[in-house]
Amino acid sequence: MKRALLPLVLVLAAASTAHADGPTIPRFVEDTKSSGLHSVYKGEWQYMVGGGVATFDCNGDGFPDLYIAGGENPAKLYVNTSKKGGPLKFAEAKSGAELKQVTGAYPVDIDGDGIMDLVVLRVGQSKIFRGLGHCKFEDVTAKWNVDGGDAWATAFSATWEKGNRWPTLAFGTYIDRAFENEPWGHCTDNWLLRPNEGQAGFGPRIALKPSYCALSMLFTDWNRSGTPSLRVANDREYYEGGQEQLWKVNPGEAPRLYTADEGWKFQRFWGMGIAAADLTGNGYNAYFTTSMADQRLQFLSDGPQKPSFKDAPFTMGTSAHRPFTGGDQRPSTGWHAQFEDVNNDGLWDLFIAKGNVDKMPDFAQKDPSNLLLQQADGSFVEGAEKAGLINFGEARGAAVADFNLDGKMDVLIVNRHENVRLWRGVSPHLGHWLGLRLNGDGANRDGIGAWIELKEGEKLVRREITVGGGHVSGINSWWHFGLGDQAQAQLRVIWPDGTAGDWQDVKADGFYFLQRGKPPAPFMPR
């Protein structure tokens, strides 16, 4: 019965701003050739997964910059030189973080100095680079006592546990590289690093056993308890006897898995990437996990007391199980996933990067990435082809972000064996929007673990601020909200310690810094 009622719940949440005659189709043009981006994710067996991008502002001008994994090629940092509303332009810059064997990266201000740091995942030793400002970085892996391992790193997430000034870091790994000819059953350990409080750096590695070839991790407060748990997507292709996982990570306690007795349901599939959004307006995230064949969208089914999740009905249109164009009808392979409102109608849409693993004959070779647009009844329809966003490359990581700060979302895709691709949003008629960033003092300056809430007329839209998820691709930039026909909104922040700020009025179509106890501070792009 609860499953049957789910679409109705979505209708009630969505009806206030969406168009009854179908979603507005956004428009994109490809800027790759003129963008200045020249980065190829290269490599075979040890690089068949991975291929991500970190999206963040490394020079303080407000425009999102890029650190792109290269696999066997060096990773590259690109400074955003775009003008507001103009074509997307980037310039390669020497950063101090030029490394080979990089699979992905995540931006996070670890030491709380207001300058973004980089967690760099690698085949071999993963590293941490401290941001020095002006897009320069120094390797602090040894200085901060970071055990970067010697593994095939494929997942990462971070959270701030209560009372800590530095974050807890989670690293996920894939197959033991010594078993290339017989990889099945040879997943290597994932681990946590907790901070050494009272001094800079981290304590010894805490193994997360059992580990099952993780391809994505996300610290997320699934039950709004104020203490995030660690959700892990695992690739069943190579583990033996494993499953999807949810780890309870309580401050001062050893991490442990949620059990079936507590409500966690046994499930196995080819878990690749994780994305989260409050789709129903009930205050709790739904979780989307990419896979081979059906993708999984799941909703909390029994309230916050149990981590029980139920699959969305097929009629919601989120399974994205076969290519929607190109003529190949074999099952799809999903990787990076990201919820964003790409048409600014006040509803979360969903981008999914797609691509065959490595000429696997049972799965589609021509496997276009999806742009699923949410409709007024809560279901999703494919919009990529009409939007001009077609990619048949072997996509892995990606970023959906506003690179030229015009309120229209742009898309970057990292493909294996070829240059990245970049599309600019050019829709002439979209809804109103906001771009928001949290600006705290001291520890956790970016408010990881906070929730931003917006009142859009009678509708309440929420977003959890996280580091992790997707596939080896992290974003720490402006948090985008579509407002539909609302020319202004009220917003507040529920900070990571649970303190709720006051509701404050903001005008639409602008960028604002949000700081505890202060009114929203406008930011004007150059």
Side-chain angles (χ1 to χ4, degrees):
M1 179 63 71
K2 290 181 181 178
R3 183 180 181 123
L5 289 175
L6 182 59
L8 176 59
V9 174
L10 292 171
V11 170
L12 296 176
S16 62
T17 57
H19 298 288
D21 56 351
T24 299
I25 304 295
R27 306 293 179 185
F28 294 88
V29 296
E30 188 170 359
D31 275 1
T32 304
K33 290 183 179 179
S34 59
S35 68
L37 296 177
H38 301 284
S39 180
V40 176
Y41 184 71
K42 178 184 177 183
E44 298 307 318
W45 165 248
Q46 295 184 101
Y47 301 98
M48 67 176 179
V49 301
V53 54
T55 304
F56 64 109
D57 178 8
C58 65
N59 57 8
D61 66 357
F63 286 77
D65 307 301
L66 301 169
Y67 179 81
I68 307 175
E72 292 179 349
N73 286 330
K76 296 181 179 180
L77 182 103
Y78 284 93
V79 175
N80 193 337
T81 59
S82 309
K83 302 297 183 183
K84 181 181 178 182
L88 303 182
K89 301 283 187 180
F90 292 85
E92 185 177 353
K94 295 299 181 183
S95 67
E98 289 76 25
L99 293 176
K100 292 185 177 182
Q101 299 174 262
V102 173
T103 56
Y106 291 81
V108 53
D109 184 2
I110 292 172
D111 57 356
D113 64 355
I115 302 172
M116 207 67 71
D117 309 310
L118 274 177
V119 176
V120 179
L121 305 183
R122 302 177 69 228
V123 175
Q125 184 190 32
S126 293
K127 291 181 174 287
I128 291 184
F129 288 85
R130 178 174 177 262
L132 302 175
H134 306 290
C135 300
K136 301 294 185 183
F137 297 85
E138 65 170 340
D139 185 348
V140 292
T141 309
K143 182 179 180 180
W144 286 356
N145 193 36
V146 172
D147 185 348
D150 182 13
W152 185 350
T154 48
F156 175 79
S157 191
T159 189
W160 265 258
E161 296 186 70
K162 284 184 173 65
N164 288 351
R165 292 187 57 81
W166 281 43
T168 294
L169 310 180
F171 290 82
T173 67
Y174 202 49
I175 301 165
D176 189 330
R177 292 172 292 150
F179 293 89
E180 178 176 346
N181 294 325
E182 194 176 345
W184 296 275
H186 290 104
C187 299
T188 48
D189 286 346
N190 307 324
W191 70 88
L192 291 185
L193 293 179
R194 279 174 158 155
N196 273 332
E197 287 307 303
Q199 56 184 305
F202 294 86
R205 181 194 300 190
I206 302 168
L208 295 173
K209 293 185 177 184
S211 295
Y212 299 126
C213 290
L215 285 176
S216 186
M217 292 174 153
L218 182 64
F219 274 113
T220 176
D221 191 0
W222 63 272
N223 60 354
R224 302 300 299 272
S225 67
T227 301
S229 301
L230 182 65
R231 191 171 180 126
V232 184
N234 296 308
D235 182 5
R236 69 172 294 174
E237 182 73 16
Y238 295 107
Y239 64 64
E240 293 179 354
Q243 60 171 297
E244 297 294 286
Q245 295 173 306
L246 185 68
W247 289 87
K248 181 180 288 188
V249 185
N250 286 337
E253 299 178 7
R256 69 168 182 83
L257 285 167
Y258 278 98
T259 66
D261 289 341
E262 293 173 295
W264 181 251
K265 296 180 180 179
F266 179 87
Q267 52 185 329
R268 287 177 174 169
F269 50 93
W270 292 276
M272 307 286 202
I274 304 171
D278 177 9
L279 296 179
T280 66
N282 69 353
Y284 300 99
N285 279 334
Y287 295 93
F288 183 86
T289 308
T290 57
S291 180
M292 302 171 75
D294 290 358
Q295 327 297 311
R296 299 285 183 92
L297 176 63
Q298 297 183 316
F299 294 85
L300 190 64
S301 59
D302 294 319
Q305 290 75 33
K306 292 183 178 182
S308 298
F309 293 86
K310 182 168 289 188
D311 290 350
F314 181 79
T315 53
M316 275 195 67
T318 53
S319 65
H321 56 294
R322 296 185 187 278
F324 59 85
T325 191
D328 195 330
Q329 290 300 301
R330 288 172 289 183
S332 280
T333 304
W335 297 93
H336 182 83
Q338 189 175 336
F339 283 106
E340 297 290 349
D341 186 353
V342 296
N343 53 10
N344 293 344
D345 64 355
L347 299 176
W348 297 114
D349 307 305
L350 178 60
F351 173 81
I352 311 168
K354 294 277 192 72
N356 193 285
V357 175
D358 192 14
K359 300 181 177 61
M360 295 184 74
D362 294 333
F363 293 85
Q365 298 292 320
K366 295 186 69 175
D367 198 1
S369 298
N370 297 96
L371 183 66
L372 301 181
L373 304 174
Q374 192 176 167
Q375 302 189 102
D377 64 357
S379 65
F380 289 76
V381 294
E382 181 58 58
E385 190 164 26
K386 291 181 179 179
L389 188 66
I390 293 293
N391 179 69
F392 284 115
E394 292 181 10
R396 293 296 190 265
V400 183
D402 184 359
F403 289 114
N404 61 355
L405 302 190
D406 63 353
K408 302 169 186 176
M409 302 304 282
D410 312 303
V411 178
L412 175 86
I413 297 177
V414 181
N415 293 314
R416 278 186 82 199
H417 306 307
E418 63 180 77
N419 193 25
V420 298
R421 296 185 69 183
L422 180 66
W423 287 265
R424 171 168 47 102
V426 295
S427 305
H429 303 294
L430 294 180
H432 295 290
W433 56 273
L434 287 171
L436 305 173
R437 286 200 65 179
L438 304 186
N439 188 13
D441 295 321
N444 194 8
R445 295 176 69 96
D446 297 306
I448 306 304
W451 290 75
I452 301 176
E453 296 188 335
L454 263 71
K455 289 181 181 178
E456 301 175 5
E458 297 181 356
K459 181 183 175 184
L460 187 62
V461 177
R462 300 175 179 88
R463 182 169 197 154
E464 184 184 18
I465 306 305
T466 60
V467 174
H471 179 60
V472 292
S473 299
I475 291 183
N476 201 333
S477 185
W478 299 104
W479 304 112
H480 182 84
F481 291 82
L483 299 179
D485 58 4
Q486 304 292 318
Q488 63 180 17
Q490 285 188 312
L491 65 80
R492 71 171 181 175
V493 178
I494 300 177
W495 295 93
D497 63 3
T499 302
D502 296 331
W503 288 102
Q504 303 188 72
D505 294 324
V506 290
K507 293 183 179 179
D509 306 329
F511 296 93
Y512 296 87
F513 287 106
L514 307 180
Q515 193 168 356
R516 191 191 297 250
K518 296 182 179 180
F523 171 80
M524 299 297 294
R526 65 169 188 266

